[in-house]
Amino acid sequence: MTILIKNATVLDLKKFAAVENDILIEGNKISKIGVDIEVNEKENLKIIDGSNKVALPGLINGHTHVAMTLFRGAADDLPLMDWLNNVIWPSESRLTGEDVYWGSLLGIVEMIKSGTTTFCDMYFFMDEVAHAVEQSGIRAILSRGMVAIDPANGEKGLKESVDFIEKWQGKANGRITTALAPHAPYTCPPEFLKDVIWEAKRLNVPINIHISETLDEISIIKERYGTTPVRHLESLGLFEVKTIGAHLVYVDDEEIQILKRYQVGAIHNPQSNMKLASGIAPVAKMLEAGVLVGLGTDGAASNNDLDMIEELRTASYLQKVSSMNPEALNAKTSIAMATSLGARALGLTEVGLLQEGYKADIILLNTNETNFYPRHNIFNLIAYSAKGADVDTVIVDGEVIMEKRQLTRLDEEKIKFEANKRGLKLVAG
Amino acid sequence: MTILIKNATVLDLKKFAAVENDILIEGNKISKIGVDIEVNEKENLKIIDGSNKVALPGLINGHTHVAMTLFRGAADDLPLMDWLNNVIWPSESRLTGEDVYWGSLLGIVEMIKSGTTTFCDMYFFMDEVAHAVEQSGIRAILSRGMVAIDPANGEKGLKESVDFIEKWQGKANGRITTALAPHAPYTCPPEFLKDVIWEAKRLNVPINIHISETLDEISIIKERYGTTPVRHLESLGLFEVKTIGAHLVYVDDEEIQILKRYQVGAIHNPQSNMKLASGIAPVAKMLEAGVLVGLGTDGAASNNDLDMIEELRTASYLQKVSSMNPEALNAKTSIAMATSLGARALGLTEVGLLQEGYKADIILLNTNETNFYPRHNIFNLIAYSAKGADVDTVIVDGEVIMEKRQLTRLDEEKIKFEANKRGLKLVAG
């Protein structure tokens, strides 16, 4: 299939320019961006009218537990341990693979409809998540979360992870890649982490891990190892493997240098960190130091949505107020964190920019709503007034998976029905 | 016209209950809420299907400069004084009444489409704002902003304000009420404020004023009067008049008690305070003390939208993270700040609740999108995952002004065209 998007306002996130252009997609790649592109082969050509629309790279949700949409709003405004002990963990203990499948689809629908084309996930029953990704047409880095407080659990998790990686790495035309996901330094002892590092090197996959999310974690690591989470992980050699580190709320200047040196992808999750009262990550500082900072929603149970446009806005505003500097984390950088920079944070090389040769992961924003007027500055409008509902068309890997807000591959009604039924049952017990 | 909404999930914000019910609207009032309401008079009866919809009181935007939508995104990420000196003030100096009229309509369309039914405004050319309110069908408290650093300006402003109040108070079937709006304690000297207080008592209108928005303001007031803004205004007797105070970012415990004692409406503007790096208001503390806290967007130039659902979510998350307490400002209280409590903050007595005898200011939210699944808890879903675009129907003063997202009174395309043209011209100079 060849797709030609005509006369869209195309965002160039390298030069930070917006130019009216056509985009030609051949196979799963962007083959040309330019004015009045002519296509000889008219068969199998799909033309999309891009006028009054902005084309930007699909958004990249760097940290999720996508099936947790099942628990969205089940209990909010609770202290973290009450929430986990009384709601989330009992519900999760009842989870089946089928539940995870439908919960993942619900989250994927929500992400597609708000412009996300790639997400990085850590959860259980990952075969089911992979099936959902395969069917939906979205791109994902998938990893089975491993907790190794009980060594037997760790061993089981690592074995399942390796099986999962061997089964799914590169599948769905490369839309699915995988990672190893030790949950966090406080739930995975050093010996286990060393095994994980060894396997990650052997399998050539990144490590996806929560780091320095709460003050409690900082205390635990200090007590156990006499140091901080980032230093602890560095000393274990974990960062020798490409690492995707979620949260990094509590990091000092020296730790920021460590993250920079190893090119750790630091995934900031502002709404989750705010809602769970975890704290405020020093994102402006990390960016200034040259850390690869991406952006994530975390699970919908602690967000409570998977809307990356809302997330990038919150990221910007939170940095401004926490640093008392209105210039902090500007519109362009916020957009980059959700696209080009977010891709680099995850170690993805061919997504995150609209550029010839890159994978055709493209979204078109409708600019008809009042929040897009006046047209002073398209970057400011996208960062500070656009909405998820403005996303009109979503293309992933050269395939249109949403057009005029209609999903082309998935049965949205059935997914809502199944996920609703299962979510309610899981929480009721 | 009689309107019957059938089988909606009706939110009771006094008992915080959600019950499937019908709502009968006769004239501009809610005349009955109950199961299977029968209407004898079938003529002039409009029936609205409320199934799969949530009915809640229209949202109340307690602080705006609505025509500033003209400057949305014109310049962002700037230090406050650069932004004012180089962009906003030069542009505002070129404003005409017609510009304000179209800019107000643009903002009103945006508010209606995201569920706001009442807003409290402070700006210039208020006759034009009033015309826009009258035509649009929305409800508003309107006030002409007065700056009195130059006494002649103050005098002119007060005269225009009095004329405006005499002309518009109670107009549009009571949808328009008015206030006196001295801009702030640092831009209005004590003698001028005393004149304003005297006029407010004479005319029986509230005072709408910015208070304690920035640390700069705190320094100025300290230097000039040796005290804080709230104490300064109290000592002038300003709070003897019903006061709507915007921002109140910097208030200590004793000032919170003053606000409580005088029933000052404290309008919190979290996104503006974050974006301009003004600071974080102690909202959780104010609520605990019993202050009437409402919620506002401020102008779209510093927000950058007029979306009260996004605003109430941000308010909650910001309090949680700034107080490091996930229980702070819970879902129900956040919704109340945008509705029932917000109405009380503004001194409005018959809006903000769905209750027999109250004015029929009602919105219906569509619950079809994925962000409304699963249906664990409707309050959590509204506060933490609903979107402005989920607003389906808007009724103000017993009249449907939006149905299935189509405005019934306004020509949205013309408004966007005019506001865009004027906004671009004003900023270009």
Side-chain angles (χ1 to χ4, degrees):
Chain A
M1 168 77 91
T2 301
I3 300 172
L4 181 61
I5 303 172
K6 297 285 295 174
N7 306 316
T9 301
V10 179
L11 293 202
D12 179 335
L13 295 179
K14 271 188 161 169
K15 297 183 194 149
F16 286 108
V19 183
E20 192 171 308
N21 259 331
D22 297 349
I23 303 174
L24 181 65
I25 299 163
E26 292 177 298
N28 70 339
K29 298 269 172 91
I30 297 171
S31 57
K32 198 169 178 190
I33 299 177
V35 182
D36 295 332
I37 295 175
E38 299 272 341
V39 181
N40 293 327
E41 181 59 73
K42 302 289 184 202
E43 254 175 66
N44 249 331
L45 173 69
K46 180 179 175 67
I47 294 179
I48 295 175
D49 179 12
S51 54
N52 282 317
K53 295 195 175 64
V54 183
L56 63 163
L59 306 179
I60 293 174
N61 188 342
H63 182 66
T64 61
H65 312 282
V66 71
M68 290 188 82
T69 45
L70 292 167
F71 311 123
R72 184 207 316 271
D76 290 311
D77 309 313
L78 290 177
L80 183 65
M81 291 320 294
D82 280 4
W83 180 69
L84 289 173
N85 280 319
N86 300 327
V87 185
I88 298 301
W89 287 341
S91 302
E92 283 188 338
S93 74
R94 290 185 279 270
L95 269 177
T96 66
E98 261 197 291
D99 295 330
V100 168
Y101 172 74
W102 290 105
S104 298
L105 282 173
L106 185 71
I108 289 170
V109 170
E110 188 180 350
M111 287 194 282
I112 295 171
K113 293 190 86 177
S114 51
T116 291
T117 56
T118 298
F119 69 102
C120 177
D121 205 62
M122 181 199 295
Y123 210 54
F124 326 110
F125 297 105
M126 294 309 293
D127 276 332
E128 302 301 326
V129 184
H131 282 300
V133 170
E134 188 173 41
Q135 285 167 33
S136 67
I138 202 167
R139 188 183 303 285
I141 300 174
L142 302 180
S143 57
R144 196 261 195 216
M146 301 180 282
V147 169
I149 298 167
D150 170 354
N153 257 345
E155 204 176 320
K156 177 167 174 280
L158 188 52
K159 190 185 171 313
E160 281 184 28
S161 293
V162 170
D163 291 348
F164 175 76
I165 290 167
E166 286 172 346
K167 183 168 171 193
W168 288 100
Q169 177 68 24
K171 284 292 186 308
N173 199 36
R175 284 191 288 108
I176 296 176
T177 56
T178 60
L180 278 167
H183 171 266
Y186 67 98
T187 52
C188 294
E191 282 316 306
F192 180 73
L193 287 175
K194 283 183 185 164
D195 290 347
V196 172
I197 295 164
W198 190 88
E199 285 289 356
K201 287 179 180 170
R202 183 179 74 83
L203 294 162
N204 193 25
V205 293
I207 288 177
N208 182 21
I209 182 169
H210 298 95
I211 313 174
S212 297
E213 180 175 2
T214 65
L215 285 173
D216 279 350
E217 175 181 345
I218 302 296
S219 302
I220 294 170
I221 297 296
K222 177 85 184 166
E223 199 185 301
R224 283 194 202 151
Y225 311 113
T227 186
T228 61
V230 169
R231 288 182 183 86
H232 170 62
L233 294 175
E234 186 200 17
S235 75
L236 293 174
L238 190 121
F239 299 144
E240 289 164 23
V241 175
K242 164 66 188 177
T243 301
I244 301 161
H247 299 300
L248 291 157
V249 173
Y250 296 99
V251 285
D252 61 32
D253 290 352
E254 197 182 282
E255 289 177 299
I256 289 175
Q257 288 306 317
I258 295 171
L259 298 174
K260 150 85 177 154
R261 190 156 63 245
Y262 289 96
Q263 300 200 50
V264 171
I267 310 300
H268 178 44
N269 301 274
Q271 290 202 331
S272 171
N273 296 160
M274 292 171 85
K275 183 157 183 287
L276 299 177
S278 303
I280 302 174
V283 169
K285 255 189 168 177
M286 287 197 264
L287 287 165
E288 208 176 314
V291 176
L292 301 176
V293 186
L295 200 60
T297 58
D298 209 348
S302 63
N303 185 302
N304 285 356
D305 58 44
L306 304 176
D307 179 340
M308 283 291 290
I309 294 178
E310 207 177 279
E311 204 73 32
L312 74 89
R313 182 167 311 149
T314 305
S316 170
Y317 293 180
L318 186 60
Q319 287 304 301
K320 291 177 195 304
V321 77
S322 64
S323 63
M324 291 296 276
N325 174 13
E327 299 176 78
L329 197 32
N330 64 27
K332 289 172 180 173
T333 309
S334 308
I335 295 170
M337 276 171 60
T339 53
S340 53
L341 188 54
R344 292 176 63 206
L346 295 181
L348 300 173
T349 50
E350 293 183 304
V351 300
L353 286 171
L354 298 185
Q355 188 168 298
E356 291 168 14
Y358 267 54
K359 298 220 169 112
D361 289 10
I362 303 171
I363 62 176
L364 296 178
L365 293 190
N366 204 324
T367 57
N368 281 341
E369 283 291 336
T370 46
N371 45 304
F372 269 97
Y373 289 90
R375 294 285 160 83
H376 290 296
N377 179 312
I378 194 66
F379 291 96
N380 291 344
L381 289 170
I382 290 172
Y384 301 143
S385 21
K387 304 286 171 181
D390 295 326
V391 176
D392 179 87
T393 296
V394 176
I395 298 169
V396 179
D397 212 40
E399 181 184 337
V400 177
I401 62 170
M402 182 172 87
E403 189 165 18
K404 299 196 169 83
R405 295 200 65 68
Q406 296 303 309
L407 300 175
T408 59
R409 280 187 175 221
L410 299 176
D411 181 344
E412 189 178 336
E413 292 309 314
K414 182 166 169 57
I415 291 166
K416 288 186 293 195
F417 176 82
E418 284 287 342
N420 187 49
K421 187 180 69 180
R422 288 163 189 276
L424 296 178
K425 188 155 169 249
L426 283 164
V427 171
Chain B
M1 167 77 89
T2 301
I3 300 172
L4 181 61
I5 303 172
K6 297 285 296 176
N7 306 316
T9 301
V10 179
L11 292 202
D12 179 335
L13 295 179
K14 271 188 162 168
K15 295 183 196 149
F16 286 107
V19 183
E20 191 170 310
N21 259 330
D22 297 349
I23 303 174
L24 182 65
I25 299 163
E26 292 178 298
N28 70 339
K29 297 267 173 92
I30 296 171
S31 58
K32 198 170 178 189
I33 298 177
V35 182
D36 294 332
I37 294 175
E38 298 271 341
V39 181
N40 293 325
E41 180 61 75
K42 303 288 183 198
E43 253 176 69
N44 251 331
L45 172 68
K46 179 180 175 65
I47 294 179
I48 295 175
D49 178 11
S51 55
N52 282 316
K53 295 196 175 65
V54 183
L56 63 163
L59 306 178
I60 294 174
N61 189 342
H63 183 66
T64 61
H65 312 283
V66 71
M68 289 188 84
T69 44
L70 292 168
F71 311 124
R72 182 206 319 267
D76 290 311
D77 309 312
L78 290 177
L80 183 65
M81 291 320 295
D82 279 5
W83 179 68
L84 289 172
N85 279 320
N86 300 327
V87 185
I88 298 300
W89 287 340
S91 302
E92 282 187 338
S93 75
R94 291 185 280 269
L95 270 177
T96 66
E98 260 196 291
D99 294 329
V100 167
Y101 172 74
W102 290 104
S104 298
L105 282 174
L106 184 70
I108 289 169
V109 170
E110 188 180 349
M111 286 193 284
I112 294 171
K113 293 191 85 177
S114 51
T116 291
T117 56
T118 297
F119 69 101
C120 177
D121 205 63
M122 180 198 296
Y123 210 55
F124 327 109
F125 298 106
M126 293 309 294
D127 276 330
E128 302 300 326
V129 185
H131 283 299
V133 170
E134 189 173 42
Q135 285 168 32
S136 67
I138 203 166
R139 188 181 304 283
I141 300 175
L142 301 180
S143 58
R144 196 265 195 213
M146 300 179 283
V147 169
I149 298 167
D150 169 356
N153 258 347
E155 203 176 320
K156 178 168 173 281
L158 188 52
K159 189 184 173 312
E160 281 184 28
S161 293
V162 171
D163 290 349
F164 175 76
I165 291 165
E166 286 173 345
K167 183 170 171 192
W168 286 101
Q169 177 67 25
K171 284 294 187 307
N173 199 37
R175 284 191 288 109
I176 296 176
T177 57
T178 59
L180 279 166
H183 170 267
Y186 68 97
T187 53
C188 295
E191 282 316 306
F192 179 73
L193 287 174
K194 285 182 183 163
D195 291 348
V196 172
I197 295 165
W198 189 88
E199 284 290 355
K201 287 179 179 171
R202 184 180 73 85
L203 295 161
N204 193 26
V205 293
I207 288 176
N208 182 20
I209 183 170
H210 298 95
I211 312 175
S212 297
E213 181 176 0
T214 65
L215 284 172
D216 278 350
E217 175 181 345
I218 303 296
S219 302
I220 294 170
I221 297 296
K222 177 84 184 167
E223 197 185 303
R224 283 193 203 153
Y225 310 115
T227 185
T228 60
V230 169
R231 289 181 181 86
H232 171 62
L233 294 174
E234 185 200 17
S235 76
L236 293 174
L238 189 121
F239 299 143
E240 289 163 23
V241 176
K242 164 67 188 176
T243 301
I244 300 161
H247 299 300
L248 291 156
V249 172
Y250 296 98
V251 286
D252 61 31
D253 290 353
E254 196 181 281
E255 288 177 299
I256 289 174
Q257 288 306 318
I258 295 171
L259 299 174
K260 150 84 176 153
R261 188 155 65 244
Y262 289 97
Q263 301 200 48
V264 170
I267 310 300
H268 178 44
N269 301 273
Q271 291 203 330
S272 172
N273 295 161
M274 292 171 85
K275 182 158 184 287
L276 299 177
S278 303
I280 301 174
V283 170
K285 252 187 169 179
M286 288 198 265
L287 287 165
E288 207 177 312
V291 175
L292 301 175
V293 186
L295 200 60
T297 57
D298 208 348
S302 63
N303 185 300
N304 285 352
D305 58 44
L306 304 175
D307 179 340
M308 284 291 288
I309 294 177
E310 205 176 281
E311 204 73 31
L312 74 88
R313 181 166 313 151
T314 305
S316 170
Y317 293 180
L318 185 60
Q319 287 304 300
K320 291 178 196 302
V321 76
S322 64
S323 63
M324 291 296 276
N325 175 12
E327 299 177 80
L329 197 32
N330 64 26
K332 289 172 179 173
T333 309
S334 307
I335 296 170
M337 276 171 60
T339 54
S340 53
L341 187 54
R344 293 175 62 207
L346 296 180
L348 299 173
T349 50
E350 292 182 306
V351 299
L353 287 172
L354 298 187
Q355 188 168 297
E356 289 169 16
Y358 266 55
K359 297 214 170 120
D361 289 9
I362 303 172
I363 61 174
L364 297 178
L365 293 191
N366 204 323
T367 57
N368 281 340
E369 284 290 339
T370 45
N371 45 303
F372 269 97
Y373 290 89
R375 294 287 160 80
H376 291 295
N377 179 313
I378 194 66
F379 290 96
N380 291 346
L381 289 170
I382 290 172
Y384 301 142
S385 22
K387 305 285 171 182
D390 295 326
V391 176
D392 179 88
T393 296
V394 176
I395 299 170
V396 179
D397 213 40
E399 181 185 337
V400 178
I401 61 171
M402 182 173 85
E403 189 166 17
K404 297 194 171 81
R405 295 199 67 68
Q406 297 302 309
L407 300 174
T408 60
R409 280 188 175 220
L410 299 176
D411 181 343
E412 190 179 335
E413 293 307 315
K414 184 168 168 58
I415 291 165
K416 288 186 291 195
F417 176 82
E418 284 287 343
N420 187 48
K421 187 180 71 179
R422 288 163 188 276
L424 296 179
K425 191 157 168 244
L426 284 164
V427 172

